[in-house]
Amino acid sequence: MIRSILLSTVALSCFLSARPQSGPIIVSSREVIAEMQPTMYGIFFEDINFAADGGLYAELVKNRSFEFTLPMMGWSQPNSNTHSLNENSGMATAMRSGKEHNAHYCRVEVKNDSGYSLINEGFRGMGVKAGEAYNLSFMAAPEGEGIREIRFELIGKDDKVLAGATVAVGGGDWAKYKATLVPERSEAKARLKITFKGQGIVNMDMISLFPQNTWKNRPNGLRNDLVTLLDEMAPGFLRFPGGCIVEGRTLDRRYQWKKTIGPLEDRDVLINRWNTEFDHRPAPDYYQSFGLGFFEYFQLAEDLGAEPLPILSCGMACQFNTGELVPMDELDPYIQDALDLIEFANGPVDSPWGKIRKDMGHPKTFDMKYIGIGNEQWGPEYIARYKVFEKAIKAKYPDMIIVSGSGPFAEGEHFEYGMRELRKLNAGIIDEHYYKSPQWFRENADRYDHYDPEGPKVFAGEYAAQSVAIASPENRNNWECALSEAAFITGLERNAAVVHLTSYAPLMAHTEGWQWTPDLIWFDNLRSYGTPNYYVQKLFATNKGTHVVPALRAGKALTGQDDLYATASVDRSTNEIIVKIVNTSAAVKAQEVVFEGVSRLQSRATITVLQNDDLKAENALDRATNISPEDKEIRTHKNTVKLSLLPYSVNVVRVKRS
């Protein structure tokens, strides 16, 4: 009680000393503008910045199946030399398996077991925690009786042993072996060292190490801390798998969902298109194992309570790269991929693709409602292909909601052409992307005030304020960017009749393996944190309400007047009114909010404030909550609350109706 009185006293003092504004904000709580879609705030996942392998997918061994272009990449043999007979050690060599999938394995010849070792470096090291269990598994086929035991050790950057296990192997046939490693201390840069007892040859493949502590404790699962950050955002949808990786630099290297399901050993490894995209951030070891494949994406969406939104190739490679096209008369396999995906997600267990879903452990359908055709293609070639996809999908699945794209830019001839043609087609949802300056986001908070609410709906599918310039390695996740995005989002929410889905991009980045900045969530091998942008997204998503209502000052929406931005909604499930106000100025601002259409408000309300006086401030691994929300209690008086809006702040007020 004392704390509440003190907070109220401080708030009143600030209110009285702040510069008064031009009248109250009037919130008309009974005048519904639009229903807020459950999908209003979601997440967009793309395997960029080591977001999947080395990130969300918890596998610690890099190139576990020896399928990289250089099959031994990620593996080292400290005492061996390709230009030597290695009589005092031995040598591992990649071998062709003759299989369609998993085309390589590793043949290890040990000549001196005291001198030979094989080491995997992990993804910029392996993050392991003291006392936690790690599941080791591998395939092996010894040749002869020479090798009977294989020793696995986690070693630190100082080469000291953190954990170890010895596994007996035998017989000449391929068999799967397992062990558990429990490190005695934590290490962010551990490596997996393999040694052998005896002399001879043993063939090995699918060498894997996973923490037991994965999301929902699933074997071969997802990194728990990263999924927890996603779960706490309460996303309404999960868009996957990208992004530009959907398209590929060439069509041969596009994302093909059918190659990402089924047994892990049958999933074809593919070079990641971000491997060589930027000269300033080369990543020659960036590949996709597809351990995180379409089944796992659907499962993750289900876990998060989010609608799955897969994006598929439309037969066009990335137009920033080759722009390679599939001829129109050869599109059938691409269209069939879309139809088969819908069956995989929604088909009965006795359908061909529904049976595969069941065999993977999920007889229940995923109830997919959305599908995206193309990522951010543009021009007549895209429109021509979209028409064919739409016709085929709607003929078989008339209720499926198809997401189309307006290209990579927020304006210009490609954007105008795409929007014009898609509106002619009465497209269901059009995906718009904008990577712009913070100023652009503040100045465009009214962007959707001018859209036709009866026209196609909008998916703000990729957006992020760029502190320097698009794709600059110097971009920062600073408070100015996050605050400007918050100002812009008020306009998205206010126009919920037009905007049905929104997501920041990219989602994740490894602190040592990134290609693109800024990013919503950053992580290393042991730790992770949400940026100020993350907390903006989370605040809006967890306070969206069910219906948008007017929040007007002097009869107008606040879209930057006096550096203020506002939106309001009601939550019929909790009987609350929610008001979001963003103050982008350097001054404290006194602001009254008057609630019309209510007979009575409860005397106590809450305000959540996200604020920092320094526009250049950021969060970091060792300052994860430097900028994070704080909750306070405030009081109402009759149908009014008096607010003191701190400089550079995002404010969310929740008032309960009696």
Side-chain angles (χ1 to χ4, degrees):
M1 176 64 73
I2 293 175
R3 180 175 180 273
S4 298
I5 293 173
L6 287 173
L7 287 173
S8 298
T9 302
V10 170
L12 179 59
S13 175
C14 290
F15 179 81
L16 293 174
S17 62
R19 181 160 54 90
Q21 300 305 303
S22 306
I25 295 173
I26 307 297
V27 176
S28 303
S29 61
R30 295 190 183 278
E31 188 181 334
V32 171
I33 297 174
E35 183 178 354
M36 190 86 73
Q37 297 300 315
T39 56
M40 185 67 183
Y41 300 107
I43 50 180
F44 158 54
F45 183 88
E46 178 164 15
D47 190 1
I48 186 174
N49 307 314
F50 281 74
D53 293 275
L56 188 63
Y57 184 52
E59 172 67 81
L60 297 178
V61 177
K62 180 166 67 182
N63 192 17
R64 64 186 175 189
S65 58
F66 307 96
E67 298 299 326
F68 285 15
T69 305
L70 300 176
M72 295 303 295
M73 180 177 278
W75 297 90
S76 63
Q77 304 172 73
N79 302 322
S80 304
N81 189 321
T82 55
H83 303 294
S84 167
L85 294 177
N86 299 301
E87 297 293 347
N88 294 320
S89 56
M91 194 69 187
T93 307
M95 304 289 289
R96 291 272 186 174
S97 68
K99 299 178 182 177
E100 178 184 357
H101 308 288
N102 195 12
H104 298 90
Y105 63 90
C106 181
R107 178 182 183 270
V108 183
E109 182 178 8
V110 180
K111 296 183 178 182
N112 182 343
D113 59 7
S114 65
Y116 180 74
S117 62
L118 178 63
I119 298 175
N120 188 271
E121 66 187 17
F123 299 91
R124 309 302 188 266
M126 299 179 178
V128 296
K129 296 181 179 180
E132 294 197 4
Y134 292 81
N135 294 332
L136 172 77
S137 64
F138 64 99
M139 300 292 294
E143 294 183 12
E145 302 295 323
I147 305 295
R148 305 304 294 173
E149 291 181 352
I150 304 178
R151 175 77 176 169
F152 294 86
E153 293 176 336
L154 280 168
I155 59 175
K157 57 185 177 182
D158 56 5
D159 291 335
K160 292 183 178 179
V161 176
L162 308 174
T166 300
V167 181
V169 295
D173 296 330
W174 284 100
K176 187 172 185 177
Y177 299 88
K178 298 180 180 180
T180 302
L181 300 177
V182 182
E184 61 185 26
R185 63 181 170 87
S186 297
E187 173 66 70
K189 295 287 188 179
R191 293 164 291 155
L192 181 66
K193 181 179 180 180
I194 308 174
T195 56
F196 305 82
K197 185 174 182 180
Q199 297 179 359
I201 296 173
V202 59
N203 300 311
M204 301 184 71
D205 202 2
M206 293 299 292
I207 303 170
S208 174
L209 186 67
F210 267 89
Q212 284 187 6
N213 179 27
T214 59
W215 173 253
K216 293 189 176 292
N217 297 313
R218 291 193 181 107
N220 305 308
L222 306 182
R223 189 168 144 174
N224 199 37
D225 62 324
L226 293 178
V227 182
T228 298
L229 283 169
L230 302 183
D231 190 44
E232 290 175 351
M233 291 177 70
F237 66 88
L238 171 64
R239 171 184 165 187
F240 60 89
C244 292
I245 64 166
V246 170
E247 309 157 2
R249 293 174 66 88
T250 66
L251 287 172
D252 285 344
R253 290 183 175 178
R254 74 188 187 279
Y255 197 107
Q256 299 183 60
W257 75 267
K258 291 176 181 176
K259 295 184 177 182
T260 76
I261 62 172
L264 293 179
E265 59 270 20
D266 290 342
R267 303 186 188 185
D268 293 335
V269 172
L270 180 67
I271 189 171
N272 192 298
R273 63 83 34 79
W274 298 107
N275 181 298
T276 56
E277 185 72 15
F278 297 120
D279 291 338
H280 62 267
R281 294 294 297 181
D285 58 340
Y286 199 1
Y287 284 72
Q288 297 171 276
S289 72
F290 296 117
L292 174 55
F294 259 50
F295 178 84
E296 289 78 19
Y297 283 125
F298 278 115
Q299 191 175 56
L300 176 59
E302 185 176 69
D303 291 345
L304 299 175
E307 296 287 350
L309 173 49
I311 309 294
L312 298 185
S313 168
C314 65
M316 301 177 72
C318 181
Q319 288 165 280
F320 289 111
N321 298 140
T322 65
E324 185 183 5
L325 296 172
V326 173
M328 292 295 294
D329 60 359
E330 296 178 17
L331 265 181
D332 284 352
Y334 291 76
I335 296 168
Q336 194 61 48
D337 276 352
L339 299 175
D340 290 344
L341 177 62
I342 298 171
E343 182 176 288
F344 176 74
N346 296 350
V349 295
D350 58 354
S351 65
W353 290 99
K355 181 180 184 303
I356 293 174
R357 183 192 69 244
K358 176 185 76 70
D359 292 345
M360 293 186 72
H362 202 285
K364 181 183 176 183
T365 66
F366 286 115
D367 193 26
M368 184 177 89
K369 302 180 181 69
Y370 301 83
I371 190 169
I373 302 304
N375 171 47
E376 55 182 18
Q377 274 75 37
W378 63 80
E381 296 288 1
Y382 172 66
I383 297 299
R385 283 158 178 76
Y386 173 79
K387 289 178 182 178
V388 178
F389 273 89
E390 182 188 48
K391 181 179 180 181
I393 292 170
K394 287 294 187 179
K396 190 168 185 179
Y397 300 103
D399 295 330
M400 186 60 55
I401 302 170
I402 303 175
V403 176
S404 56
S406 61
F409 307 114
E411 66 283 307
E413 62 176 345
H414 290 312
F415 174 81
E416 296 297 336
Y417 172 82
M419 293 296 286
R420 182 173 65 250
E421 295 303 312
L422 290 168
R423 283 171 178 150
K424 287 179 185 176
L425 296 172
N426 196 28
I429 297 179
I430 303 176
D431 185 7
E432 297 188 17
H433 296 177
Y434 13 78
Y435 296 103
K436 296 284 190 177
S437 70
Q439 180 180 353
W440 184 93
F441 280 91
R442 298 192 298 270
E443 292 176 349
N444 282 270
D446 63 348
R447 177 182 177 91
Y448 295 105
D449 292 358
H450 314 294
Y451 276 49
D452 180 3
E454 301 302 319
K457 304 310 175 186
V458 168
F459 174 19
E462 294 186 33
Y463 68 86
Q466 314 287 293
S467 64
V468 178
I470 186 170
S472 169
E474 304 303 321
N475 282 324
R476 310 299 300 182
N477 282 102
N478 63 36
W479 180 228
E480 182 185 13
C481 289
L483 184 69
S484 301
E485 290 157 7
F488 180 74
I489 297 171
T490 62
L492 299 179
E493 185 170 297
R494 188 178 60 257
N495 287 285
V498 172
V499 182
H500 279 197
L501 307 92
T502 68
S503 53
Y504 183 103
L507 181 64
M508 292 181 178
H510 193 299
T511 56
E512 296 181 49
W514 56 270
Q515 293 80 51
W516 179 289
T517 58
D519 305 284
L520 200 65
I521 294 167
W522 286 83
F523 61 92
D524 66 8
N525 288 342
L526 287 177
R527 300 170 294 171
S528 57
Y529 71 93
T531 60
N533 317 72
Y534 168 87
Y535 286 108
V536 164
Q537 296 290 318
K538 181 178 176 181
L539 262 186
F540 276 82
T542 55
N543 293 281
K544 65 178 181 291
T546 58
H547 297 79
V548 180
V549 296
L552 306 177
R553 198 177 71 181
K556 296 181 180 180
L558 274 173
T559 60
Q561 305 94 303
D562 297 320
D563 300 312
L564 294 180
Y565 302 78
T567 182
S569 61
V570 296
D571 191 329
R572 290 183 177 175
S573 64
T574 62
N575 200 31
E576 288 177 294
I577 307 170
I578 306 167
V579 183
K580 305 182 187 74
I581 308 175
V582 181
N583 178 11
T584 61
S585 80
V588 177
K589 298 205 173 184
Q591 181 63 62
E592 282 190 342
V593 180
V594 177
F595 298 89
E596 293 186 343
V598 292
S599 56
R600 184 180 177 187
L601 298 176
Q602 290 192 1
S603 61
R604 298 176 186 273
T606 61
I607 183 170
T608 303
V609 181
L610 187 63
Q611 190 271 342
N612 199 283
D613 290 331
D614 181 5
L615 289 175
K616 303 303 180 187
E618 302 176 49
N619 292 349
L621 286 169
D622 57 356
R623 303 188 312 279
T625 57
N626 180 43
I627 302 175
S628 57
E630 293 185 7
D631 296 329
K632 298 179 182 180
E633 186 179 89
I634 57 175
R635 290 185 176 275
T636 66
H637 180 67
K638 294 184 179 180
N639 67 338
T640 301
V641 293
K642 294 184 177 181
L643 303 175
S644 194
L645 305 172
L646 295 176
Y648 306 137
S649 63
V650 180
N651 307 269
V652 179
V653 178
R654 296 187 73 111
V655 182
K656 199 170 186 68
R657 294 179 285 194
S658 297

